[in-house]
Amino acid sequence: MLLENKTAVIYGAGGAVGGAVARTFAREGAKVFLSGRTLGKVERVAREIVAAGGTATAFQVDALDEEAVDSHVATVFKSVGRLDVSFNAITPIPQPGTQGIPIAQLSVDSFTAPITAYLRSHFLTARAAARRMAEQGSGVLLMHTPEPARLGAALVGGMGPAWAAMEAFNRNLSAEFGARGVRAICVRSTGMPETETIDVVFGLHANAIGIPREQFLGFIENLTHRKRSSKVSEVAEMAAFLASDRGSGMTGAVANLTGGLIVD
């Protein structure tokens, strides 16, 4: 198994991406410590993992709260004695009022909200994990972005700058902690319509330009080489590989799962 004897913390584990990554990590042998703002959703994922023979523990953690994040990581580290993987999959703000609106019509707060929230959360979770990973001499920090992190897109407001900043932060983490055995990697996908967030986002964009949601989805998917969106399962499988020792050659990099929408 790719992650046998590994310990992983996952934020936003009650969501589509976080839950899929949690299940995949557990299947590959990791002990997973799941967290989210809504404990019931996280507990449901934990129960599924345990029923499938894995090891999972659920916590209620607001990944925008410095004290909560630090306390959670300290609890995990005290319980297991090590921390091998940290993956932050939270969606900290609602998309209505953020996307599907021309930049010139956005308020300052609406534009800066995603930049502040995403960067704050990823800073807090990465810092808490990196401190302990650096002490033990190994670990992997993972994050996930969609294609507007690299590709210019209309009507995404501050989301594009927020995701681009996450990828820049990923490179900085690698530069600072790589020599101490800590790798930092970002997984970049297209928007995934099987998730609730992207279902909402695509509806906002379709309404903004006056076409049906299905037509907007088709337009986006036709821009890819495969003529389809990334799948949540693909993100989860790649995250597991990158978190494993088999991915040890990668750090400070973006794993491109956009299916040709972005060609590196």
Side-chain angles (χ1 to χ4, degrees):
M1 292 187 286
L2 285 174
L3 301 176
E4 190 171 9
N5 299 321
K6 302 284 189 182
T7 298
V9 294
I10 300 169
Y11 301 90
V17 175
V21 169
R23 296 181 188 95
T24 303
F25 279 14
R27 185 200 70 204
E28 293 296 335
K31 295 179 180 179
V32 293
F33 291 83
L34 315 181
S35 71
R37 284 181 293 187
T38 305
L39 184 59
K41 293 181 178 180
V42 180
E43 288 178 328
R44 183 165 58 249
V45 176
R47 286 195 297 269
E48 292 173 5
I49 290 172
V50 172
T55 303
T57 308
F59 296 82
Q60 186 171 28
V61 178
D62 181 353
L64 291 166
D65 185 317
E66 180 176 7
E67 183 178 349
V69 170
D70 288 342
S71 176
H72 169 62
V73 171
T75 298
V76 171
F77 197 79
K78 182 178 180 180
S79 171
V80 186
R82 64 180 299 107
L83 177 57
D84 299 293
V85 188
S86 177
F87 182 82
N88 186 334
I90 75 164
T91 303
I93 61 170
Q95 297 305 300
T98 301
Q99 293 204 55
I101 303 171
I103 287 176
Q105 296 178 19
L106 282 172
S107 68
V108 172
D109 288 344
S110 294
F111 178 77
T112 59
I115 301 170
T116 300
Y118 275 85
L119 267 294
R120 176 182 177 86
S121 179
H122 280 273
F123 171 75
L124 291 176
T125 58
R127 184 185 66 176
R131 286 170 171 171
R132 288 158 178 84
M133 290 175 177
E135 291 175 0
Q136 68 190 24
S138 64
V140 184
L141 304 169
L142 293 173
M143 60 183 70
H144 169 242
T145 56
E147 79 277 4
R150 171 77 179 274
L151 184 70
L155 305 178
V156 299
M159 295 303 306
W163 291 320
M166 285 169 54
E167 294 190 0
F169 182 47
N170 173 72
R171 294 189 289 270
N172 293 347
L173 288 168
S174 179
E176 290 206 20
F177 292 100
R180 301 181 69 179
V182 181
R183 296 188 290 122
I185 311 168
C186 180
V187 180
R188 185 199 295 144
S189 69
T190 67
M192 294 173 285
E194 59 191 299
T195 69
E196 181 179 341
T197 297
I198 295 301
D199 183 56
V200 171
V201 168
F202 280 13
L204 293 172
H205 282 259
N207 289 338
I209 59 180
I211 62 174
R213 181 193 172 283
E214 292 72 19
Q215 185 178 345
F216 180 79
L217 172 60
F219 169 74
I220 296 297
E221 292 190 329
N222 278 327
L223 295 175
T224 73
H225 293 178
R226 300 181 302 177
K227 308 304 177 187
R228 69 169 177 83
S229 302
S230 305
K231 296 180 180 179
V232 171
S233 61
E234 292 172 330
V235 171
E237 295 292 343
M238 179 56 70
F241 171 78
L242 295 171
S244 77
D245 294 339
R246 294 185 188 179
S248 61
M250 291 188 68
T251 187
V254 174
N256 184 355
L257 302 186
T258 64
L261 181 58
I262 296 173
V263 181
D264 291 324

